[in-house]
Amino acid sequence: MRCPRCASSDDRVVDSREIEDGVAVRRRRECLACSYRYTTFERSTSPAFFIEKRSGEREPFERAKVLSGVRSAFKNRPVSDSAIDQLVNEVESAVRSLGLSASSTNIGIEVLDRLRSIDEVAYLRFASVYKDFADANDFAREADLLQKATAPKHHNVTSNLVEET
Ligand SMILES: [Zn+2]
């Protein structure tokens, strides 16, 4: 962007940090022509996105919260920060695609869905914390899905035989 002092459009970013829990970014820039330093703020133009809690309260979606939940599930597990970041990005876009709001259950299910295929230990850790927040029924469904995913193959054969009779 143009320097506020000399209007040159060549600048470099000398410092960049997340503010407001990662909702915005503050950048210190330096004009390459006159060395003047100035600050810019950057934020997403996506509409506000809310999470409905079981109590009926709504709160703004906070990526940082999801990230810290996922990070603690992966503690001491062989998973890179960028893989964790990627997972949280996917979860965020999945729940945002639901509309203007989503429930904490939606988030939990999206996270679990991805953890299952990445790391079983992280999956079980997240599940055990998450069950405090999720609806009991959703959690039962989740446990059921995991069992089906890990069930021995002959179960499928049995259900095929049942269908044929
Ligand atoms: Zn300048």
Side-chain angles (χ1 to χ4, degrees):
M1 66 178 281
R2 289 195 181 280
C3 168
R5 190 159 80 179
C6 76
S8 159
S9 54
D10 289 327
D11 69 279
R12 68 184 186 103
V13 174
V14 291
D15 182 49
S16 178
R17 65 186 60 185
E18 289 192 353
I19 55 172
E20 299 169 28
D21 275 335
V23 171
V25 175
R26 173 189 179 275
R27 293 205 163 91
R28 281 296 278 168
R29 294 172 183 274
E30 185 180 85
C31 172
L32 294 180
C34 74
S35 299
Y36 182 67
R37 287 194 173 193
Y38 55 101
T39 304
T40 57
F41 294 93
E42 190 178 306
R43 62 177 65 242
S44 161
T45 55
S46 308
F49 180 65
F50 290 93
I51 298 306
E52 280 161 20
K53 300 199 285 187
R54 267 188 306 164
S55 60
E57 275 177 85
R58 301 170 95 214
E59 58 179 33
F61 174 78
E62 283 180 48
R63 186 184 189 279
K65 270 192 187 172
V66 181
L67 186 62
S68 84
V70 173
R71 272 211 186 115
S72 47
F74 276 121
K75 198 172 177 212
N76 298 326
R77 299 299 298 162
V79 176
S80 69
D81 279 351
S82 65
I84 293 175
D85 229 44
Q86 171 70 22
L87 185 151
V88 174
N89 287 345
E90 283 177 22
V91 168
E92 181 172 358
S93 54
V95 292
R96 275 184 186 273
S97 73
L98 296 170
L100 290 177
S101 67
S103 66
S104 43
T105 304
N106 292 138
I107 295 180
I109 288 175
E110 292 296 337
V111 171
L112 287 170
D113 223 33
R114 287 162 179 80
L115 287 183
R116 189 191 295 123
S117 60
I118 298 176
D119 186 290
E120 198 173 332
V121 172
Y123 174 87
L124 292 172
R125 281 181 187 161
F126 190 87
S128 71
V129 174
Y130 175 70
K131 72 182 175 204
D132 294 334
F133 305 106
D135 203 72
N137 287 333
D138 285 311
F139 203 77
R141 191 182 74 106
E142 196 50 46
D144 195 44
L145 283 175
L146 181 67
Q147 274 197 328
K148 278 182 187 147
T150 55
K153 286 244 167 15
H154 64 79
H155 281 217
N156 293 333
V157 175
T158 312
S159 63
N160 285 344
L161 289 176
V162 171
E163 276 166 32
E164 278 165 21
T165 50

